[in-house]
Amino acid sequence: MKIISLSYWNEEEGWGFDRIDFFDLTLLVGASGVGKSQIIRAILDLKKIATEKTITGIKWNVLFELGTGETCTWSGQTN
């Protein structure tokens, strides 16, 4: 599975980001404090949600590609 794009909002922590597009090779580059670790943290939060762990106040939209080339969207919001 490959992530094509991701948008994420964490209401409890008051941070998030609009759609980020990923490519075959995506590097997260930037100065300290611009959000590189937040993107990784968002992906890890979604992994927790996918494995049925509860994280409240999260809204997301993920477009991903399966190994077959088929694309799927996973959107949701937790309370």
Short mmCIF file of all heavy atoms in Angstrom, two decimals, residues 3-58:
data_model
loop_
_atom_site.label_atom_id
_atom_site.label_comp_id
_atom_site.label_asym_id
_atom_site.label_seq_id
_atom_site.Cartn_x
_atom_site.Cartn_y
_atom_site.Cartn_z
N ILE A 3 0.66 5.58 0.28
CA ILE A 3 -0.14 6.79 0.52
C ILE A 3 0.09 7.75 -0.65
O ILE A 3 1.23 8.06 -0.99
CB ILE A 3 0.24 7.47 1.84
CG1 ILE A 3 -0.04 6.54 3.02
CG2 ILE A 3 -0.51 8.79 2.00
CD1 ILE A 3 0.45 7.08 4.35
N ILE A 4 -1.00 8.21 -1.25
CA ILE A 4 -0.93 9.18 -2.34
C ILE A 4 -1.11 10.59 -1.82
O ILE A 4 -0.38 11.51 -2.20
CB ILE A 4 -1.98 8.86 -3.43
CG1 ILE A 4 -1.69 7.47 -4.02
CG2 ILE A 4 -2.00 9.94 -4.50
CD1 ILE A 4 -2.78 6.96 -4.93
N SER A 5 -2.10 10.78 -0.93
CA SER A 5 -2.31 12.10 -0.31
C SER A 5 -2.92 11.93 1.07
O SER A 5 -3.52 10.90 1.37
CB SER A 5 -3.18 13.00 -1.19
OG SER A 5 -4.50 12.49 -1.27
N LEU A 6 -2.77 12.96 1.88
CA LEU A 6 -3.23 12.91 3.26
C LEU A 6 -3.60 14.30 3.73
O LEU A 6 -2.86 15.26 3.50
CB LEU A 6 -2.10 12.35 4.15
CG LEU A 6 -2.22 12.45 5.66
CD1 LEU A 6 -3.36 11.58 6.16
CD2 LEU A 6 -0.91 12.02 6.32
N SER A 7 -4.76 14.42 4.35
CA SER A 7 -5.10 15.63 5.11
C SER A 7 -5.49 15.17 6.51
O SER A 7 -6.00 14.07 6.70
CB SER A 7 -6.22 16.43 4.44
OG SER A 7 -7.40 15.66 4.35
N TYR A 8 -5.26 16.03 7.50
CA TYR A 8 -5.39 15.60 8.89
C TYR A 8 -5.65 16.81 9.77
O TYR A 8 -5.09 17.89 9.56
CB TYR A 8 -4.06 14.93 9.29
CG TYR A 8 -4.00 14.41 10.70
CD1 TYR A 8 -4.40 13.12 10.99
CD2 TYR A 8 -3.50 15.19 11.72
CE1 TYR A 8 -4.32 12.61 12.28
CE2 TYR A 8 -3.41 14.70 13.01
CZ TYR A 8 -3.82 13.42 13.29
OH TYR A 8 -3.73 12.94 14.56
N TRP A 9 -6.51 16.63 10.77
CA TRP A 9 -6.74 17.68 11.76
C TRP A 9 -6.94 17.03 13.12
O TRP A 9 -7.73 16.10 13.26
CB TRP A 9 -7.96 18.53 11.40
CG TRP A 9 -8.14 19.64 12.38
CD1 TRP A 9 -9.10 19.71 13.35
CD2 TRP A 9 -7.34 20.80 12.53
NE1 TRP A 9 -8.93 20.86 14.08
CE2 TRP A 9 -7.86 21.55 13.60
CE3 TRP A 9 -6.22 21.28 11.86
CZ2 TRP A 9 -7.30 22.75 14.01
CZ3 TRP A 9 -5.68 22.48 12.27
CH2 TRP A 9 -6.22 23.20 13.32
N ASN A 10 -6.23 17.53 14.12
CA ASN A 10 -6.35 17.06 15.49
C ASN A 10 -6.98 18.19 16.30
O ASN A 10 -6.32 19.17 16.63
CB ASN A 10 -4.97 16.69 16.05
CG ASN A 10 -5.03 16.11 17.44
OD1 ASN A 10 -5.82 16.56 18.26
ND2 ASN A 10 -4.18 15.15 17.71
N GLU A 11 -8.27 18.07 16.57
CA GLU A 11 -9.01 19.14 17.25
C GLU A 11 -8.54 19.35 18.69
O GLU A 11 -8.49 20.47 19.16
CB GLU A 11 -10.51 18.83 17.24
CG GLU A 11 -11.09 18.90 15.85
CD GLU A 11 -12.57 18.55 15.81
OE1 GLU A 11 -13.18 18.35 16.88
OE2 GLU A 11 -13.11 18.48 14.69
N GLU A 12 -8.19 18.27 19.38
CA GLU A 12 -7.78 18.40 20.78
C GLU A 12 -6.45 19.14 20.92
O GLU A 12 -6.26 19.89 21.86
CB GLU A 12 -7.70 17.02 21.44
CG GLU A 12 -9.07 16.41 21.65
CD GLU A 12 -9.04 15.19 22.53
OE1 GLU A 12 -7.95 14.79 22.99
OE2 GLU A 12 -10.12 14.63 22.77
N GLU A 13 -5.54 18.92 19.99
CA GLU A 13 -4.24 19.60 20.05
C GLU A 13 -4.22 20.88 19.22
O GLU A 13 -3.25 21.64 19.27
CB GLU A 13 -3.13 18.64 19.62
CG GLU A 13 -2.99 17.48 20.58
CD GLU A 13 -1.79 16.60 20.26
OE1 GLU A 13 -0.92 17.02 19.47
OE2 GLU A 13 -1.75 15.48 20.80
N GLY A 14 -5.27 21.09 18.40
CA GLY A 14 -5.38 22.32 17.63
C GLY A 14 -4.37 22.45 16.50
O GLY A 14 -3.91 23.53 16.18
N TRP A 15 -4.03 21.35 15.88
CA TRP A 15 -3.10 21.40 14.75
C TRP A 15 -3.52 20.40 13.68
O TRP A 15 -4.25 19.46 13.94
CB TRP A 15 -1.66 21.15 15.16
CG TRP A 15 -1.38 19.76 15.64
CD1 TRP A 15 -1.46 19.32 16.92
CD2 TRP A 15 -1.03 18.63 14.84
NE1 TRP A 15 -1.15 17.99 16.98
CE2 TRP A 15 -0.87 17.53 15.71
CE3 TRP A 15 -0.81 18.44 13.49
CZ2 TRP A 15 -0.53 16.27 15.27
CZ3 TRP A 15 -0.45 17.16 13.05
CH2 TRP A 15 -0.32 16.11 13.94
N GLY A 16 -3.05 20.63 12.51
CA GLY A 16 -3.33 19.74 11.40
C GLY A 16 -2.78 20.34 10.12
O GLY A 16 -2.06 21.35 10.16
N PHE A 17 -3.13 19.74 9.00
CA PHE A 17 -2.65 20.24 7.73
C PHE A 17 -3.63 19.87 6.62
O PHE A 17 -4.33 18.87 6.70
CB PHE A 17 -1.24 19.72 7.41
CG PHE A 17 -1.06 18.25 7.63
CD1 PHE A 17 -1.40 17.33 6.66
CD2 PHE A 17 -0.54 17.78 8.83
CE1 PHE A 17 -1.24 15.98 6.86
CE2 PHE A 17 -0.37 16.43 9.04
CZ PHE A 17 -0.72 15.52 8.06
N ASP A 18 -3.67 20.72 5.61
CA ASP A 18 -4.45 20.44 4.42
C ASP A 18 -3.77 19.35 3.63
O ASP A 18 -2.70 18.86 4.00
CB ASP A 18 -4.61 21.70 3.57
CG ASP A 18 -5.48 22.75 4.27
OD1 ASP A 18 -6.40 22.36 5.01
OD2 ASP A 18 -5.24 23.94 4.06
N ARG A 19 -4.33 19.02 2.52
CA ARG A 19 -3.84 17.91 1.70
C ARG A 19 -2.35 18.04 1.36
O ARG A 19 -1.89 19.06 0.87
CB ARG A 19 -4.65 17.85 0.42
CG ARG A 19 -4.27 16.74 -0.48
CD ARG A 19 -5.15 16.73 -1.69
NE ARG A 19 -4.42 16.13 -2.80
CZ ARG A 19 -4.99 15.82 -3.93
NH1 ARG A 19 -6.26 16.08 -4.13
NH2 ARG A 19 -4.28 15.29 -4.89
N ILE A 20 -1.65 16.95 1.63
CA ILE A 20 -0.25 16.80 1.24
C ILE A 20 -0.20 15.66 0.23
O ILE A 20 -0.75 14.58 0.48
CB ILE A 20 0.65 16.44 2.45
CG1 ILE A 20 0.64 17.55 3.48
CG2 ILE A 20 2.07 16.14 2.00
CD1 ILE A 20 1.35 17.19 4.77
N ASP A 21 0.43 15.91 -0.91
CA ASP A 21 0.59 14.87 -1.92
C ASP A 21 1.94 14.19 -1.76
O ASP A 21 2.96 14.87 -1.58
CB ASP A 21 0.48 15.47 -3.33
CG ASP A 21 -0.92 16.00 -3.62
OD1 ASP A 21 -1.90 15.32 -3.25
OD2 ASP A 21 -1.04 17.08 -4.21
N PHE A 22 1.93 12.87 -1.83
CA PHE A 22 3.15 12.09 -1.76
C PHE A 22 3.43 11.49 -3.13
O PHE A 22 2.51 11.23 -3.90
CB PHE A 22 3.01 10.97 -0.72
CG PHE A 22 2.85 11.46 0.68
CD1 PHE A 22 1.58 11.64 1.22
CD2 PHE A 22 3.94 11.75 1.46
CE1 PHE A 22 1.43 12.09 2.52
CE2 PHE A 22 3.80 12.20 2.76
CZ PHE A 22 2.53 12.38 3.29
N PHE A 23 4.68 11.27 -3.43
CA PHE A 23 5.09 10.73 -4.71
C PHE A 23 5.91 9.47 -4.47
O PHE A 23 6.10 9.05 -3.32
CB PHE A 23 5.88 11.79 -5.49
CG PHE A 23 5.07 13.05 -5.71
CD1 PHE A 23 5.17 14.12 -4.83
CD2 PHE A 23 4.17 13.13 -6.76
CE1 PHE A 23 4.40 15.26 -5.02
CE2 PHE A 23 3.39 14.27 -6.95
CZ PHE A 23 3.51 15.33 -6.07
N ASP A 24 6.42 8.86 -5.54
CA ASP A 24 7.21 7.63 -5.36
C ASP A 24 8.37 7.85 -4.39
O ASP A 24 8.72 6.98 -3.62
CB ASP A 24 7.74 7.14 -6.71
CG ASP A 24 6.63 6.53 -7.55
OD1 ASP A 24 5.61 6.10 -6.98
OD2 ASP A 24 6.79 6.48 -8.78
N LEU A 25 8.94 9.02 -4.44
CA LEU A 25 9.99 9.38 -3.49
C LEU A 25 9.61 10.72 -2.88
O LEU A 25 9.53 11.73 -3.59
CB LEU A 25 11.36 9.49 -4.17
CG LEU A 25 12.50 9.97 -3.28
CD1 LEU A 25 12.74 8.98 -2.14
CD2 LEU A 25 13.76 10.17 -4.09
N THR A 26 9.31 10.74 -1.60
CA THR A 26 8.96 11.97 -0.91
C THR A 26 9.90 12.15 0.26
O THR A 26 10.04 11.25 1.10
CB THR A 26 7.50 11.93 -0.40
OG1 THR A 26 6.62 11.79 -1.51
CG2 THR A 26 7.15 13.20 0.37
N LEU A 27 10.57 13.28 0.31
CA LEU A 27 11.44 13.62 1.41
C LEU A 27 10.79 14.75 2.20
O LEU A 27 10.27 15.70 1.62
CB LEU A 27 12.80 14.10 0.90
CG LEU A 27 13.58 13.12 0.02
CD1 LEU A 27 14.84 13.79 -0.52
CD2 LEU A 27 13.95 11.88 0.82
N LEU A 28 10.82 14.65 3.50
CA LEU A 28 10.32 15.71 4.36
C LEU A 28 11.53 16.54 4.78
O LEU A 28 12.33 16.11 5.59
CB LEU A 28 9.60 15.14 5.58
CG LEU A 28 8.39 14.26 5.27
CD1 LEU A 28 7.80 13.68 6.56
CD2 LEU A 28 7.33 15.03 4.50
N VAL A 29 11.63 17.72 4.21
CA VAL A 29 12.79 18.57 4.42
C VAL A 29 12.30 19.93 4.89
O VAL A 29 11.32 20.46 4.37
CB VAL A 29 13.60 18.74 3.11
CG1 VAL A 29 14.79 19.65 3.32
CG2 VAL A 29 14.04 17.39 2.58
N GLY A 30 12.98 20.51 5.87
CA GLY A 30 12.64 21.85 6.32
C GLY A 30 13.36 22.18 7.61
O GLY A 30 13.97 21.33 8.25
N ALA A 31 13.23 23.43 7.97
CA ALA A 31 13.83 23.91 9.21
C ALA A 31 13.14 23.27 10.41
O ALA A 31 12.04 22.73 10.31
CB ALA A 31 13.73 25.43 9.28
N SER A 32 13.78 23.38 11.54
CA SER A 32 13.21 22.88 12.78
C SER A 32 11.90 23.62 13.08
O SER A 32 11.81 24.84 12.93
CB SER A 32 14.21 23.11 13.92
OG SER A 32 13.69 22.64 15.12
N GLY A 33 10.88 22.85 13.46
CA GLY A 33 9.62 23.46 13.87
C GLY A 33 8.61 23.72 12.77
O GLY A 33 7.60 24.37 13.01
N VAL A 34 8.84 23.22 11.55
CA VAL A 34 7.90 23.50 10.46
C VAL A 34 6.86 22.39 10.26
O VAL A 34 5.96 22.56 9.46
CB VAL A 34 8.62 23.79 9.12
CG1 VAL A 34 9.46 25.04 9.22
CG2 VAL A 34 9.44 22.61 8.67
N GLY A 35 6.99 21.24 10.96
CA GLY A 35 5.95 20.24 10.93
C GLY A 35 6.31 18.88 10.35
O GLY A 35 5.42 18.05 10.14
N LYS A 36 7.56 18.61 10.09
CA LYS A 36 7.95 17.31 9.56
C LYS A 36 7.54 16.18 10.51
O LYS A 36 6.94 15.20 10.09
CB LYS A 36 9.46 17.26 9.31
CG LYS A 36 9.97 18.30 8.32
CD LYS A 36 11.47 18.26 8.17
CE LYS A 36 12.25 18.48 9.45
NZ LYS A 36 12.20 19.82 10.01
N SER A 37 7.84 16.33 11.76
CA SER A 37 7.48 15.29 12.75
C SER A 37 5.98 15.19 12.93
O SER A 37 5.45 14.10 13.20
CB SER A 37 8.14 15.59 14.10
OG SER A 37 9.54 15.51 13.98
N GLN A 38 5.26 16.30 12.76
CA GLN A 38 3.79 16.28 12.89
C GLN A 38 3.17 15.40 11.79
O GLN A 38 2.19 14.71 12.03
CB GLN A 38 3.21 17.70 12.80
CG GLN A 38 3.66 18.59 13.93
CD GLN A 38 3.06 18.21 15.28
OE1 GLN A 38 2.98 17.05 15.65
NE2 GLN A 38 2.63 19.22 16.01
N ILE A 39 3.73 15.44 10.59
CA ILE A 39 3.23 14.59 9.51
C ILE A 39 3.42 13.12 9.87
O ILE A 39 2.50 12.31 9.72
CB ILE A 39 3.93 14.94 8.18
CG1 ILE A 39 3.54 16.36 7.75
CG2 ILE A 39 3.58 13.91 7.10
CD1 ILE A 39 4.37 16.91 6.62
N ILE A 40 4.58 12.78 10.38
CA ILE A 40 4.84 11.39 10.79
C ILE A 40 3.92 11.02 11.95
O ILE A 40 3.35 9.92 11.97
CB ILE A 40 6.32 11.21 11.19
CG1 ILE A 40 7.25 11.55 10.02
CG2 ILE A 40 6.57 9.81 11.73
CD1 ILE A 40 7.02 10.71 8.77
N ARG A 41 3.73 11.92 12.90
CA ARG A 41 2.84 11.65 14.04
C ARG A 41 1.41 11.41 13.56
O ARG A 41 0.71 10.53 14.06
CB ARG A 41 2.88 12.81 15.03
CG ARG A 41 2.06 12.53 16.29
CD ARG A 41 2.24 13.59 17.35
NE ARG A 41 3.63 13.54 17.82
CZ ARG A 41 4.42 14.61 17.93
NH1 ARG A 41 3.97 15.80 17.61
NH2 ARG A 41 5.65 14.49 18.37
N ALA A 42 0.96 12.17 12.56
CA ALA A 42 -0.39 11.99 12.01
C ALA A 42 -0.54 10.60 11.39
O ALA A 42 -1.54 9.92 11.61
CB ALA A 42 -0.68 13.07 10.98
N ILE A 43 0.46 10.17 10.63
CA ILE A 43 0.41 8.84 10.03
C ILE A 43 0.38 7.76 11.11
O ILE A 43 -0.38 6.79 11.03
CB ILE A 43 1.60 8.65 9.07
CG1 ILE A 43 1.45 9.58 7.86
CG2 ILE A 43 1.72 7.19 8.63
CD1 ILE A 43 2.67 9.67 6.98
N LEU A 44 1.15 7.93 12.16
CA LEU A 44 1.14 6.96 13.26
C LEU A 44 -0.20 6.96 14.01
O LEU A 44 -0.69 5.90 14.42
CB LEU A 44 2.30 7.24 14.22
CG LEU A 44 3.69 6.99 13.65
CD1 LEU A 44 4.77 7.45 14.63
CD2 LEU A 44 3.88 5.54 13.27
N ASP A 45 -0.83 8.13 14.17
CA ASP A 45 -2.16 8.20 14.77
C ASP A 45 -3.17 7.43 13.92
O ASP A 45 -4.01 6.70 14.45
CB ASP A 45 -2.64 9.65 14.92
CG ASP A 45 -2.01 10.37 16.09
OD1 ASP A 45 -1.33 9.72 16.92
OD2 ASP A 45 -2.19 11.60 16.18
N LEU A 46 -3.10 7.59 12.61
CA LEU A 46 -4.02 6.87 11.73
C LEU A 46 -3.78 5.36 11.80
O LEU A 46 -4.73 4.58 11.72
CB LEU A 46 -3.90 7.39 10.30
CG LEU A 46 -4.40 8.82 10.12
CD1 LEU A 46 -4.12 9.30 8.70
CD2 LEU A 46 -5.87 8.95 10.46
N LYS A 47 -2.55 4.97 11.96
CA LYS A 47 -2.26 3.54 12.14
C LYS A 47 -2.94 3.03 13.41
O LYS A 47 -3.53 1.94 13.42
CB LYS A 47 -0.75 3.32 12.23
CG LYS A 47 -0.36 1.88 12.46
CD LYS A 47 1.13 1.72 12.62
CE LYS A 47 1.47 0.30 13.00
NZ LYS A 47 2.88 0.15 13.36
N LYS A 48 -2.88 3.82 14.48
CA LYS A 48 -3.54 3.42 15.74
C LYS A 48 -5.05 3.31 15.54
O LYS A 48 -5.68 2.37 16.01
CB LYS A 48 -3.23 4.43 16.84
CG LYS A 48 -1.80 4.39 17.31
CD LYS A 48 -1.54 5.48 18.32
CE LYS A 48 -0.07 5.56 18.68
NZ LYS A 48 0.23 6.71 19.56
N ILE A 49 -5.64 4.29 14.84
CA ILE A 49 -7.09 4.25 14.60
C ILE A 49 -7.45 3.03 13.77
O ILE A 49 -8.45 2.36 14.02
CB ILE A 49 -7.54 5.56 13.91
CG1 ILE A 49 -7.42 6.73 14.90
CG2 ILE A 49 -8.97 5.45 13.39
CD1 ILE A 49 -7.57 8.10 14.27
N ALA A 50 -6.63 2.71 12.77
CA ALA A 50 -6.90 1.56 11.90
C ALA A 50 -6.84 0.25 12.66
O ALA A 50 -7.49 -0.73 12.28
CB ALA A 50 -5.92 1.54 10.74
N THR A 51 -6.08 0.21 13.74
CA THR A 51 -5.98 -1.02 14.53
C THR A 51 -6.88 -0.96 15.76
O THR A 51 -6.64 -1.63 16.75
CB THR A 51 -4.52 -1.28 14.97
OG1 THR A 51 -4.03 -0.16 15.70
CG2 THR A 51 -3.64 -1.53 13.77
N GLU A 52 -7.93 -0.12 15.67
CA GLU A 52 -9.01 -0.05 16.65
C GLU A 52 -8.63 0.54 17.99
O GLU A 52 -9.25 0.26 19.00
CB GLU A 52 -9.66 -1.42 16.82
CG GLU A 52 -10.24 -1.98 15.54
CD GLU A 52 -10.94 -3.31 15.72
OE1 GLU A 52 -11.26 -3.67 16.87
OE2 GLU A 52 -11.16 -3.96 14.71
N LYS A 53 -7.61 1.38 18.02
CA LYS A 53 -7.31 2.12 19.24
C LYS A 53 -8.02 3.47 19.14
O LYS A 53 -8.11 4.06 18.08
CB LYS A 53 -5.81 2.31 19.40
CG LYS A 53 -5.10 0.99 19.61
CD LYS A 53 -3.64 1.16 19.83
CE LYS A 53 -3.02 -0.22 20.02
NZ LYS A 53 -1.59 -0.19 20.04
N THR A 54 -8.51 3.96 20.26
CA THR A 54 -9.29 5.18 20.26
C THR A 54 -8.41 6.40 20.45
O THR A 54 -7.64 6.50 21.40
CB THR A 54 -10.35 5.14 21.40
OG1 THR A 54 -11.16 3.99 21.21
CG2 THR A 54 -11.19 6.39 21.38
N ILE A 55 -8.52 7.33 19.51
CA ILE A 55 -7.92 8.65 19.63
C ILE A 55 -9.05 9.62 19.32
O ILE A 55 -9.67 9.54 18.27
CB ILE A 55 -6.76 8.85 18.62
CG1 ILE A 55 -5.66 7.81 18.85
CG2 ILE A 55 -6.20 10.26 18.73
CD1 ILE A 55 -4.55 7.87 17.82
N THR A 56 -9.33 10.53 20.23
CA THR A 56 -10.47 11.41 20.03
C THR A 56 -10.07 12.71 19.32
O THR A 56 -8.92 13.14 19.38
CB THR A 56 -11.13 11.77 21.39
OG1 THR A 56 -10.15 12.39 22.22
CG2 THR A 56 -11.66 10.53 22.08
N GLY A 57 -11.06 13.30 18.64
CA GLY A 57 -10.89 14.61 18.03
C GLY A 57 -10.05 14.63 16.76
O GLY A 57 -9.45 15.65 16.44
N ILE A 58 -10.03 13.54 16.01
CA ILE A 58 -9.22 13.45 14.81
C ILE A 58 -10.13 13.43 13.59
O ILE A 58 -11.14 12.75 13.56
CB ILE A 58 -8.36 12.17 14.80
CG1 ILE A 58 -7.49 12.05 16.04
CG2 ILE A 58 -7.53 12.07 13.52
CD1 ILE A 58 -6.40 13.07 16.15
#
